[in-house]
Amino acid sequence: MEQTLLSFGHGFSARALSDLLLPQGWRIIGTTRSEDKAARLLQDGVEPRIWPGADLRPALDAATHLLISAAPDENGDPVLAELRDEIAARAGQFAWVGYLSTTGVYGDHAGGWVDETTSLTPATKRGLARMQAEADWAAIPELPLHIFRLAGIYGPGRGPFAKVRDGSARRIIKQGQVFSRTHVADIAQVLAASIARPNPGGIYNVCDDDPAPPEDVIGYAAELLGLPLPPAEDFETADMTPMARSFYAESKKVSNDRIKNELGVRLIYPDYRSCLKALLAQEDTA
């Protein structure tokens, strides 16, 4: 049977995985919400489906692998809301199912370490929704589910350089605050490694080796650009949107030992310094 990945919400991370699988002869079907994005997927070699809208049962019939990137909304996981019964009926057909979650499910640990065995105590609505979605996917019998808890994602076109250049970057200082991050290329290689070595029920943190205060990342970006250090602002008094402020509700260091020990992953970008250098170099050669 042809190796066929059906990718729900075929966005930034899924496209990076496609770049690895397509040269190996995979067929990839990706859902998107707009005609413009569908046209871009087609150019990339992905078969687009406008969804919600399209009948995805033929794609499900063809799929050997599923990837779910679509975020939950006020009604829960959108894929399960529409297609749970169809997916459950085909559970034994799939060789691998991957759900992209978030390290936000761990909640706040005051800068302490968490790993995949840590209890889930999300502190935000987004984290709570992801925790529920994980549980809902795991409740489908015989589904070969793998959960990937992603740290903050950056990659080409997603980095701090634009804000540093235009003067809008700020170094928000909150004592003890640390975040974990991951480059999209490392997400892709973790997913590919898991597909090659399925372990149904497996849960994996996907992040680099260097949890760091956000102000350090902004400061290093400015240093690479040869620009002045953006101003420091105290978190308590900084003018921030509720969404931006919510990201500071949690502080933790996320362990990535499992992706190395079980999947044999060697990170391409093990820390924010190597990542930012690479992103800047890619800009220079674009």
Side-chain angles (χ1 to χ4, degrees), residues 2 21 89 139 169 187 231 247 257:
E2 182 181 26
L21 298 183
I187 296 173
F247 285 105
D257 287 348

Side-chain angles (χ1 to χ4, degrees), residues 21 40 58 92 118 168 202 232 236-237 243 256 258-259 279 281:
L21 298 183
R40 290 198 292 272
T118 300
S168 63
E236 299 299 333
T237 56
M243 173 67 79
N256 61 13
R258 184 173 288 179
I259 60 172
L279 292 179

Side-chain angles (χ1 to χ4, degrees), residues 95-180:
W96 178 93
V97 176
Y99 180 76
L100 302 190
S101 186
T102 170
T103 56
V105 296
Y106 296 117
D108 180 39
H109 287 264
W113 284 96
V114 300
D115 63 21
E116 290 87 351
T117 67
T118 300
S119 298
L120 306 187
T121 55
T124 66
K125 288 183 179 179
R126 294 188 308 279
L128 284 165
R130 287 292 190 181
M131 181 179 71
Q132 184 60 55
E134 286 187 13
D136 291 343
W137 277 98
I140 299 177
E142 299 182 21
L143 193 72
L145 180 67
H146 304 71
I147 293 172
F148 302 89
R149 293 174 178 156
L150 310 183
I153 304 170
Y154 45 16
R158 290 195 183 186
F161 294 118
K163 288 186 175 181
V164 173
R165 286 188 178 108
D166 68 20
S168 63
R170 299 182 296 168
R171 292 184 301 121
I172 305 297
I173 310 297
K174 184 180 181 184
Q175 188 66 33
Q177 186 75 35
V178 289
F179 293 132
S180 291

